[in-house]
Amino acid sequence: MTMTKLAHLAGCSLSTVSKAFSGSNEISEETRNKIFEIAKENNCFNKFYSPSFQSRVFAVICNELSGSSIYGEIVEALNKRITDNGDILIVSCNNFVSSAANNLLDYYINYHKVDGLIVIDGARYENETFENIPAVSIGSLYNEKIHHCDCVNTDRSYGVYQAVEYFKKMGHRDIAFIGEYLTSGALKNFKKAMTDYSLPINEDWLITSSKRMGDAGYDAMDKLISLPERPTAVFAAYDAIALGAMNRIYMAGLSVPDDIS
């Protein structure tokens, strides 16, 4: 069934049928209802009817929600602001998989056609990706070549420098790093901070766990305390890792910060 055939069955012009399905107020409700009834009788109503949604819909793509409270808190804040404005937020997770992230981008931009897109701590995408949609990145998307996406970034190195500076002021020189496979940026900043503060870097004390969250901290600290020489201070890539590390320290009969800061 074509729209032209439908217009013939309804006894009206093609433009009238088109206006009926687009929600135009240029035709009467009586005419619209007549066209809709004939379309339903011929099983083509859904083919031509595409109602407009009153609220704007924004999509958020983040890495995860359950693993890290940070993402959940950001999404909650975004949801409050967006819903307070009468709009709707939908959320998807890519689980740190680049192909999944790009599939979600393709879906929201080209198929779902959302009104705006927010990427939290995303992978690096090409400039053209965001050309046809209002987009904002929160986190690590910044790239000077991207001109179609606004970026809100955090100075991730600042906190690392603060921690290393504090350790140095407290008299520590034997400082370790514990992280996991997704914290390579933190490790890079740690090594730079140690160098800038003229502190020695012991490669044996740079532990990257294959696990995540608290398990990564427990695992990394287990490796550290089994070494012949232990550091006096440890920098953890994020809070959950620090908590897991402290748990392993206490299990070993040691204390924080007396034995390890």
Side-chain angles (χ1 to χ4, degrees):
M1 174 68 70
T2 64
M3 193 172 285
T4 301
K5 181 68 179 295
L6 180 61
H8 176 73
L9 292 174
C12 58
S13 68
L14 177 61
S15 63
T16 298
V17 173
S18 178
K19 289 176 182 178
F21 282 106
S22 65
S24 172
N25 57 9
E26 295 181 25
I27 62 173
S28 67
E29 284 302 307
E30 181 181 356
T31 300
R32 190 192 317 279
N33 291 334
K34 176 184 176 182
I35 293 170
F36 283 1
E37 285 300 320
I38 295 174
K40 290 175 182 177
E41 290 172 3
N42 288 273
N43 299 316
C44 63
F45 177 79
N46 292 330
K47 178 181 178 181
F48 301 124
Y49 184 63
S50 55
S52 59
F53 197 66
Q54 297 303 312
S55 299
R56 291 179 300 176
V57 178
F58 297 94
V60 169
I61 301 176
C62 60
N63 292 325
E64 62 183 356
L65 287 176
S66 60
S68 172
S69 62
I70 296 296
Y71 297 112
E73 290 170 6
I74 294 174
V75 169
E76 283 289 340
L78 289 171
N79 184 62
K80 184 178 188 310
R81 183 62 182 270
I82 289 171
T83 55
D84 283 351
N85 201 43
D87 298 316
I88 293 175
L89 178 71
I90 53 179
V91 183
S92 292
C93 300
N94 58 48
N95 297 314
F96 298 94
V97 179
S98 295
S99 59
N102 283 288
N103 283 338
L104 287 169
L105 278 176
D106 183 39
Y107 171 70
Y108 284 128
I109 294 173
N110 299 312
Y111 296 92
H112 196 289
K113 298 186 185 300
V114 292
D115 296 291
L117 182 66
I118 302 169
V119 179
I120 302 177
D121 198 24
R124 296 182 181 272
Y125 303 103
E126 293 299 324
N127 179 31
E128 292 77 12
T129 302
F130 303 100
E131 187 170 1
N132 298 314
I133 185 172
V136 176
S137 165
I138 301 174
S140 62
L141 187 62
Y142 177 75
N143 186 325
E144 62 181 6
K145 295 181 180 179
I146 294 180
H147 305 296
H148 302 290
C149 181
D150 291 322
C151 301
V152 180
N153 290 294
T154 55
D155 185 353
R156 296 178 180 233
S157 65
Y158 179 67
V160 180
Y161 270 75
Q162 281 187 308
V164 173
E165 180 184 32
Y166 175 77
F167 280 147
K168 184 175 181 179
K169 286 181 178 178
M170 296 298 293
H172 294 286
R173 290 185 59 80
D174 299 332
I175 307 170
F177 171 92
I178 57 174
E180 41 113 321
Y181 59 94
L182 294 171
T183 61
S184 58
L187 175 58
K188 180 180 178 181
N189 288 328
F190 173 79
K191 294 170 77 171
K192 189 174 187 308
M194 291 286 285
T195 300
D196 290 349
Y197 283 113
S198 301
L199 295 169
I201 297 175
N202 186 330
E203 294 293 334
D204 292 336
W205 293 343
L206 306 180
I207 309 295
T208 298
S209 173
S210 60
K211 301 178 181 179
R212 296 201 63 221
M213 310 302 290
D215 290 339
Y218 191 98
D219 176 59
M221 183 55 68
D222 183 65
K223 291 181 173 65
L224 273 181
I225 62 178
S226 67
L227 295 173
E229 285 187 77
R230 285 203 308 259
T232 61
V234 177
F235 176 87
Y238 54 78
D239 291 353
I241 289 180
L243 292 172
M246 291 168 68
N247 185 31
R248 182 65 187 94
I249 291 171
Y250 297 140
M251 291 287 289
L254 304 171
S255 67
V256 176
D258 297 333
D259 295 305
I260 302 177
S261 182

